[in-house]
Structure formats: C-alpha cells, structure tokens
C-alpha cells in the first residue's frame, strides 16, 4: 500500500481579498485539512481566539522563539511579527495530513526555498477596485494602518505571478472548491506512476 504523504499548502493573497472567509468555507468542506496556527505579535481583533486564529505573543516572546529556531519561516508584516511553527507543520506532514499555511508573500518565498514540493496558491480579487473597497469596509484598522494595508495590498497583488496557482475569489464557495480541486489534483499527480 502506498502511504499518503501530507501536503504543505501555502495560501497567500493581498489583505482584504477574503482569505479568511475562503479558508472557513474550505474547512467546512474538508474538515480533515489542518491549519497552521501562526504566532503573531499583532493585537487580537474582536472575535479572534488565542490558539485558533493565531498564537498571540509579545515581541520578546517572539524573538525568543526565533532564537530557539521554532519557525519554519517568519516575517514582519505591517509592523508586526508573524511566524509559522516548524513543529506544527512537520508533525502534520509526518502524520500524512495536509496542512494549510496562510502566510504573506515574503514567508511563502522562504517556504518555497525550504519546501519546494509544497502547493503554492495565490488568491486574487475580481478587480483592484473591489479589493480597495473591501479593505475600507472592513473597519478593523486605524486610518494610517488602512493606508499602509492598501498600498501593500497593491504591491502584493503584483507578486501573484510567482505562484504556480492563482485563484480569483469571485464567489467564496467556488474559490474554496477550486482550491480543493487543486489539492486533489496534486495528490493524484504524486500518486501517478513515473
Ligand atoms: P492579518 O493581520 O490580517 O491576520 O494578516 C496580515 C498578513 O500576515 C496576511 O497577509 C497573512 O497572510 C500574513 N501572515 C499570517 N500569518 C503569517 C505567518 O506565520 N507568516 C507570514 N510570513 N505571514 C503571515
């Protein structure tokens, strides 16, 4: 019997593109998928749960985790640190589970160098206008932070070309199903005789 190998799935996309909503739908459709809960120093938003959305830590705690080589990758995004737990990812892959990392483009580029056999997916908005509107409507940031996110979102959008798969988020359910199809196709490709 061929053992199923866990797949590392990296999902990126500009702030406001709807990654969290798409991922929520994805986990409803495929509850067997695992989610890599990142560490972050950014303040908790209303409704976020420590240990589920993120592991919220202080800056000294984060720097200590870097020193202890706890991270598969880490980056400073919008003035806050974010990092992926190396142990969580490796344990899931070893168990044969597929694990999703929702990380920014810098982190994704780093993971790609370390784990080139991952599945790298970029989510784009139907249009730039829609992205900027969604960011403004979200109301989770101060005006200054919002401006930074808008500027960065446009820069990030230009990096979609570095990903092997680009999925346009027109409709959440369709986007989630498209991602599931990419995951299934990747497993099929790996199982195919060479
Ligand atoms: P937010 O603060 O809106 O939750 O996330 C801001 C950005 O940080 C998003 O682009 C998100 O994908 C990215 N991010 C979240 N966790 C990680 C991580 O562990 N590593 C990296 N490099 N980026 C992350």
């Amino acid at each position: 019997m061929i053992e199923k190998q866990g797949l590392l799935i990296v999902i990126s996309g500009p702030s406001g593109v709807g990654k969290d909503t798409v991922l929520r739908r994805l986990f409803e459709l495929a509850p067997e998928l695992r989610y890599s809960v990142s560490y972050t120093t950014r303040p908790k938003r209303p409704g976020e749960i420590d240990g589920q959305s993120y592991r919220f830590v202080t800056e000294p705690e984060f720097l200590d985790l870097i020193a202890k080589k706890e991270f598969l990758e880490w980056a400073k995004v919008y003035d806050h640190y974010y990092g992926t737990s190396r142990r969580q990812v490796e344990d899931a892959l070893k168990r044969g589970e597929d694990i999703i990392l929702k990380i920014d483009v810098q982190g994704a580029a780093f993971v790609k160098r370390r784990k080139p056999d991952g599945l790298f997916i970029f989510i784009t908005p139907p249009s730039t206008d829609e992205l900027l509107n969604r960011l403004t409507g979200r109301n989770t940031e101060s005006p200054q932070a919002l401006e930074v996110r808008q500027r960065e979102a446009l820069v990030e959008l230009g990096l979609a070309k570095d990903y092997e798969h680009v999925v346009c988020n027109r409709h959440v359910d369709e986007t989630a199903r498209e991602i599931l199809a990419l995951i299934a196709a990747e497993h099929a490709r790996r199982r195919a005789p060479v």
Side-chain angles (χ1 to χ4, degrees):
M1 194 180 92
I2 304 170
E3 292 246 332
K4 185 188 169 224
Q5 269 289 316
L7 188 60
L8 179 133
I9 303 145
V10 171
I11 298 196
S12 304
S15 193
V17 79
K19 287 177 298 231
D20 290 326
T21 326
V22 168
L23 288 185
R24 249 193 312 275
R25 182 67 189 132
L26 190 64
F27 289 112
E28 274 170 20
L29 292 168
E32 71 281 7
L33 290 174
R34 292 285 151 259
Y35 180 64
S36 157
V37 181
S38 294
Y39 288 90
T40 186
T41 60
R42 108 152 141 61
K44 208 194 292 176
R45 292 186 191 133
E48 286 186 328
I49 300 169
D50 192 14
Q52 268 183 37
S53 322
Y54 283 102
R55 295 187 171 102
F56 295 95
V57 291
T58 61
E59 204 163 304
E61 284 169 337
F62 194 96
L63 297 177
D64 191 47
L65 289 166
I66 297 178
K68 289 184 174 142
K69 305 203 182 317
E70 246 311 303
F71 294 124
L72 174 62
E73 63 74 39
W74 63 270
K76 201 166 189 185
V77 190
Y78 311 120
D79 276 347
H80 298 293
Y81 288 104
Y82 293 84
T84 302
S85 159
R86 188 166 44 82
R87 201 169 328 158
Q88 196 198 349
V89 170
E90 280 173 3
D91 286 353
L93 295 177
K94 259 187 241 150
R95 288 193 297 264
E97 295 168 349
D98 296 344
I99 184 159
I100 299 208
L101 280 60
K102 183 202 72 173
I103 60 176
D104 85 317
V105 288
Q106 313 168 60
F110 198 85
V111 173
K112 188 150 194 162
R113 285 199 295 275
R114 282 198 163 171
K115 304 223 177 250
D117 58 344
L119 182 65
F120 293 80
I121 303 172
F122 192 92
I123 303 183
T124 59
S127 72
T128 316
D129 279 354
E130 191 157 332
L131 179 70
L132 297 179
N133 286 341
R134 280 194 212 168
L135 270 176
T136 315
R138 199 158 75 168
N139 227 357
T140 50
E141 261 74 37
S142 66
Q144 292 88 334
L146 176 64
E147 209 184 299
V148 174
R149 280 192 178 235
Q150 288 184 331
R151 210 170 332 118
E152 292 293 320
L154 295 180
V155 174
E156 274 211 19
L157 209 47
L159 298 171
K161 61 181 184 323
D162 296 339
Y163 286 70
E164 48 195 335
H165 301 286
V166 177
V167 176
C168 177
N169 184 24
R170 280 195 189 81
H171 185 279
V172 172
D173 183 64
E174 276 168 23
T175 309
R177 286 176 196 278
E178 234 177 283
I179 293 173
L180 279 182
L182 289 174
I183 296 172
E186 183 60 23
H187 278 298
R189 195 182 66 79
R190 287 175 190 214
R191 279 195 308 269
V194 278

